[in-house]
């Protein structure tokens, strides 16, 4: 199955919509154990991507991912800005010169998530966006390797992301601002994990509807 970058404006729009719709809830999460700016940070990046989306749609996958990464890096700020920037720039490098199909994209995404781990010096279980990104990347690779039907694959990733975000509730934060709270971080979902899950669900929704028979 081949999907081309012309789908990116719809994905960017769906992400903008879901972050807007959940802005209040996520801000409350970030206020509980962070500094409350995560949604505003992310929206700065998403608005910049919306302004570039017609241009992005005309690029090849590697160039589109590079542009997205550079834009996020220069607009989002906070811890999440450099982490998402790194994610997309690494995906871009992994896609360069490749014919992009699902297994290739799955591998590129997994490499991107590895680069986020390195950049943030963090791993699974530390109550961050990685608790969503890591299981989503694993599920994507397994499903792509098994040539799972697209809709099953998308449902699997969406579920893995949801389980990941819920799991952050009982984790002790050991990275980022929430780590300053120690045990007081327990009982709260991580805001960055929540937005990662919302963005994955929105992306899966667009891909599912684009693949649906007319
Ligand atoms: P800041 O914490 O600098 O204000 P944001 O509020 O935009 O930045 O983003 C906070 C989110 O970034 C956290 O909820 C967490 O998911 C993620 N995060 C913070 N530090 C790390 C890290 N070292 N590795 C991975 N993710 C991190
Ligand atoms: Mg913050």
């Amino acid at each position: 199955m081949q999907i081309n970058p012309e789908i990116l404006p719809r994905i960017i729009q769906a992400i903008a919509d879901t972050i807007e719709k959940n802005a209040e809830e996520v801000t409350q999460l970030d206020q509980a154990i962070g500094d409350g700016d995560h949604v505003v940070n992310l929206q700065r990046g998403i608005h910049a991507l919306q302004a570039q989306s017609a241009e992005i749609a005309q690029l090849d996958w590697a160039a589109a991912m590079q542009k997205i990464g550079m834009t996020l890096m220069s607009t989002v700020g906070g811890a999440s800005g450099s982490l998402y920037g790194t994610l997309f720039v690494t995906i871009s490098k992994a896609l360069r010169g490749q014919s992009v199909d699902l297994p290739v994209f799955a591998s590129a995404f997994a490499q991107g998530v590895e680069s986020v781990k390195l950049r943030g010096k963090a791993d699974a279980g530390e109550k961050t966006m990685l608790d969503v990104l890591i299981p989503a990347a694993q599920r994507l690779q397994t499903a792509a390797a098994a040539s799972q039907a697209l809709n099953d694959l998308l449902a699997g990733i969406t579920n893995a992301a949801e389980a990941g975000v819920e799991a952050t509730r009982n984790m002790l934060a050991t990275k980022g601002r929430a780590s300053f709270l120690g045990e007081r971080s327990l009982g709260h979902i991580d805001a960055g994990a929540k937005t990662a899950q919302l963005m994955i669900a929105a992306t899966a929704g667009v891909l599912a509807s684009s693949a649906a028979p007319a």
Side-chain angles (χ1 to χ4, degrees):
M1 189 207 49
Q2 290 282 348
I3 298 176
N4 84 44
E6 281 172 19
I7 200 165
L8 286 169
R10 281 168 57 204
I11 294 178
I12 292 167
Q13 186 58 46
I15 286 175
D17 292 343
T18 193
I19 297 298
E20 179 65 36
K21 191 165 152 236
N22 293 279
E24 211 168 307
E25 182 196 334
V26 177
T27 297
Q28 281 169 11
L29 296 175
D30 195 33
Q31 280 167 346
I33 57 171
D35 58 356
D37 64 350
H38 180 57
V39 169
V40 176
N41 290 343
L42 218 48
Q43 284 183 325
R44 229 178 5 252
I46 294 166
H47 293 154
L49 292 180
Q50 284 181 301
Q52 297 171 351
S53 81
E55 199 186 324
I56 289 170
Q58 301 305 313
L59 300 172
D60 64 27
W61 278 112
M65 295 293 118
Q66 175 75 16
K67 191 165 181 62
I68 290 171
M70 296 309 285
T71 298
L72 294 177
M73 217 173 269
S74 65
T75 56
V76 176
S80 53
S82 71
L83 296 171
Y84 274 114
T86 300
L87 174 69
F88 284 98
V89 168
T90 304
I91 292 174
S92 165
K93 285 192 189 134
L95 295 179
R96 216 161 285 163
Q98 303 248 37
S99 159
V100 180
D101 59 10
L102 215 45
V104 167
F105 186 81
S107 163
F109 187 70
Q111 290 173 57
V113 173
E114 282 302 312
S115 73
V116 174
K117 286 162 72 171
L118 288 173
R119 175 92 203 188
K121 298 184 177 61
D123 210 330
E126 299 199 80
K127 203 179 182 92
T128 71
M129 60 171 77
L130 283 167
D131 292 305
V132 167
L133 295 177
I134 291 169
Q138 282 169 347
R139 189 64 70 95
L140 178 58
Q141 276 203 298
T142 313
S147 306
Q148 211 174 50
L150 184 68
N151 280 333
D152 295 338
L153 173 148
L154 294 170
I157 296 166
T158 306
N159 291 340
E162 274 170 22
V165 75
E166 195 47 47
T168 65
R169 188 187 297 278
N170 294 318
M171 288 176 187
L172 193 64
T174 44
K175 291 282 149 48
R177 290 178 198 280
S179 65
F180 307 151
L181 294 177
E183 303 243 316
R184 278 181 294 144
S185 70
L186 290 172
H188 299 281
I189 281 175
D190 174 63
K194 181 69 195 173
T195 53
Q197 178 257 316
L198 290 169
M199 293 192 277
I200 287 169
T203 303
V206 171
L207 291 173
S209 66
S210 75

